[in-house]
Amino acid sequence: IDQSKQEISKIVIEKLKIPNTQRLWYLGDAFRLGMTVDEIYQESKIDRWFLQQIHQIVIVEQQIKEQGSSIFFSKDYLIR
């Protein structure tokens, strides 16, 4: 199935509105699609602090995909 980013975004937004056991995974999808913390908050009403923490996890996930697990041993990463 080849869905456009816009169609996928609509599905994710609808899934964010309904509290359930899968919503955490849709949060990650929303960040990967480029949604901001405020945009996700507007749809989900999930606390912004929690959303920021999930966003940081997604950022690290992307860094690992781009740079591999060696990122954990870099000086810049360890200083954080």
Side-chain angles (χ1 to χ4, degrees), residues 37-38 41-42 45-53:
V37 167
D38 286 333
Y41 172 77
Q42 291 302 316
K45 304 302 184 219
I46 294 172
D47 186 88
R48 285 181 175 94
W49 180 90
F50 184 74
L51 294 174
Q52 290 168 347
Q53 305 314 302

Side-chain angles (χ1 to χ4, degrees), residues 3-4 6 11 16 19 21 27-29 32 35 43-44 47-48 51 53 60-61 63-66 78 80:
Q3 293 179 313
S4 72
Q6 185 177 6
I11 294 168
L16 290 175
T21 59
L27 289 175
D29 292 338
R32 287 182 208 99
M35 291 181 71
E43 300 299 337
S44 68
D47 186 88
R48 285 181 175 94
L51 294 174
Q53 305 314 302
V60 171
E61 173 192 54
Q63 291 172 336
I64 291 169
K65 285 180 179 179
E66 292 171 359
L78 294 174
R80 293 185 198 180

